[in-house]
Amino acid sequence: MNIPHIRLLNQQLVAPEYSDVHDLVSSMGMMQAQEYRMMRWAVGMRLRKPSMKAFREAYDTGRIVRVHLFRCTWQLVAAEDLRYMLRLCAGKNKTAIRGYLAYCGRHIGEREYGHANDLICRSLAGKGSVRKDSLLSMLAERGLADDAHTMSIYLLRADIDGLICSGELDDSQSTYALVEERIPRSAEPSREEAVALLADKYFRSHSPATLGDFVWWTNLGVGECRNAVGAIRGELVEERYAGDVYYVHRGCRTRGYRSRTILLPSYDEFLIGYKSRHHVLDDAFRHRAFSNNGLFYPVILDDGIVVGNWHPRREATFFRDEARCDLTEAFGRYRRFMESDK
């Protein structure tokens, strides 16, 4: 079992199957989106025909949204999945915020959050999409003004409380809109059904993967994740490899791989979607792909293995001279994507 090659197929990085941005994001369950600019390429490179214009249209119309979800980090998600996913991770995210503030010697009470949430909602009501700088100015006019760090915590908590999400795509900064005005309500699954649905999406798009990988990706409890895997057991095939149990979804691809050099954006699912990255990254170069405090860098994949770093405006660097590969086609694809919105 060639794990990197099969993952490349199912993550749509080789021979992509999707033409529609929403359908791709929905199939992935959620897509890491910490880096505001790079998230666009993370989606675009997984489409049959990479198009910034298509990404912008899906983002602007609210078919996909950017919010803080699992692990309290920025992610892209299909609009119809947002509410049930928020219910799954809200509790742990609030705990994470309290822990972070305690570490910083700070405390924000529920009454303060409630006041901030009220002012944020009143500021955004009827506005559609508002840039972050404009929203902060509106809040200051209403009497909510503090240091940048505290204001970011207020916005984060409003995200987690399901009040706000991304608005229309701005070239340089985040935008905000009210969830109630942007995303129609629909019937939501029970918690048990929701975790099983999430597991199905994960193993379809991330196979082969372990239970530990799924736990890492969601930050949900091991028992709850194990039950979800059990709920979709009929859709999974167990494969033992190097002493570990991997699950391969029956609906995913295991054949059709072809070698390709890929410019992987920072915080991409191909690396961050798994607890361990040892299948694709030599431990000696781990610090070149991500830091100990969770920063992930843009990397070059060649035949499924991380071999170097790249930057849109700088020369690429390789970990080893013998790992050098031709990046002409890869950079051409990236530039065509970035220019497709003009």
Side-chain angles (χ1 to χ4, degrees):
M1 180 170 66
N2 192 314
I3 290 176
H5 290 182
I6 299 175
R7 285 180 177 175
L8 283 167
L9 282 168
N10 295 311
Q11 289 221 12
Q12 306 300 315
L13 290 167
V14 168
E17 301 173 293
Y18 291 92
S19 299
D20 183 83
V21 170
H22 165 272
D23 293 349
L24 167 68
V25 174
S26 176
S27 74
M28 295 287 290
M30 58 188 176
M31 294 181 66
Q32 217 56 39
Q34 280 98 323
E35 178 56 52
Y36 188 57
R37 293 180 182 275
M38 282 287 186
M39 70 171 180
R40 308 167 203 192
W41 176 232
V43 173
M45 67 179 179
R46 288 175 162 88
L47 297 173
R48 294 180 67 181
K49 185 177 180 181
S51 169
M52 175 69 88
K53 184 178 181 180
F55 178 88
R56 183 180 294 275
E57 182 179 3
Y59 200 92
D60 285 354
T61 57
R63 297 180 70 218
I64 63 170
V65 290
R66 180 178 182 246
V67 292
H68 286 90
L69 277 172
F70 298 89
R71 305 189 309 280
C72 210
T73 61
W74 285 110
Q75 281 141 5
L76 284 171
V77 63
E80 67 274 13
D81 291 333
L82 174 61
R83 287 188 173 91
Y84 81 77
M85 288 190 182
L86 279 170
R87 285 194 293 110
L88 291 179
C89 62
K92 285 211 168 188
N93 285 345
K94 291 176 184 178
T95 298
I97 294 174
R98 284 195 298 270
Y100 171 71
L101 287 174
Y103 175 78
C104 297
R106 293 285 309 279
H107 172 74
I108 299 177
E110 289 300 311
R111 186 173 180 177
E112 293 174 82
Y113 283 128
H115 178 64
N117 282 349
D118 177 62
L119 293 182
I120 290 169
C121 289
R122 285 163 58 188
S123 297
L124 290 174
K127 300 290 195 313
S129 175
V130 176
R131 285 164 51 115
K132 183 178 181 180
D133 57 3
S134 297
L135 175 57
L136 293 177
S137 295
M138 292 178 192
L139 292 173
E141 291 174 3
R142 295 178 182 272
L144 183 65
D146 211 317
D147 62 89
H149 178 260
T150 301
M151 296 306 294
S152 293
I153 294 293
Y154 284 141
L155 292 175
L156 169 60
R157 177 58 186 264
D159 235 5
I160 291 168
D161 285 339
L163 300 176
I164 61 175
C165 63
S166 57
E168 295 178 358
L169 187 69
D170 183 85
D171 287 339
S172 60
Q173 64 176 276
S174 298
T175 60
Y176 293 93
L178 290 177
V179 170
E180 288 299 319
E181 293 182 355
R182 194 158 180 80
I183 303 175
R185 283 195 171 272
S186 58
E188 294 183 36
S190 67
R191 184 176 181 93
E192 183 177 332
E193 292 169 336
V195 184
L197 176 59
L198 194 59
D200 188 75
K201 286 177 179 283
Y202 178 76
F203 286 103
R204 279 181 185 272
S205 59
H206 290 68
S207 286
T210 66
L211 172 63
D213 291 328
F214 182 55
V215 172
W216 152 257
W217 191 68
T218 62
N219 196 34
L220 298 177
V222 175
E224 188 169 39
C225 289
R226 183 180 291 112
N227 290 340
V229 170
I232 63 167
R233 179 74 66 177
E235 299 298 320
L236 303 176
V237 176
E238 285 190 16
E239 296 279 357
R240 292 191 175 273
Y241 183 86
D244 292 316
V245 175
Y246 289 82
Y247 296 103
V248 180
H249 199 286
R250 295 184 185 276
C252 74
R253 295 179 292 173
T254 58
R255 297 182 180 182
Y257 174 80
R258 61 176 183 269
S259 182
R260 192 177 204 180
T261 301
I262 299 169
L263 302 178
L264 206 67
S266 52
Y267 300 101
D268 191 77
E269 283 293 316
F270 190 70
L271 288 185
I272 210 168
Y274 307 94
K275 183 178 180 180
S276 173
R277 294 102 195 178
H278 68 280
H279 294 293
V280 300
L281 178 63
D282 189 319
D283 194 58
F285 304 112
R286 186 180 65 171
H287 65 288
R288 300 280 294 274
F290 57 91
S291 68
N292 290 333
N293 59 349
L295 295 176
F296 279 71
Y297 312 120
V299 297
I300 302 165
L301 284 183
D302 188 47
D303 199 24
I305 304 300
V306 179
V307 298
N309 295 103
W310 70 283
H311 188 280
R313 295 179 300 276
R314 300 175 196 161
E315 185 177 351
T317 58
F318 292 88
F319 301 161
R320 296 189 178 102
D321 285 341
E322 60 268 27
R324 288 184 172 277
C325 52
D326 187 356
L327 299 177
T328 304
E329 192 278 334
F331 267 107
R333 194 164 182 258
Y334 171 75
R335 293 190 183 106
R336 288 192 297 274
F337 169 75
M338 296 303 293
E339 295 168 0
S340 65
D341 195 30
K342 297 178 181 179

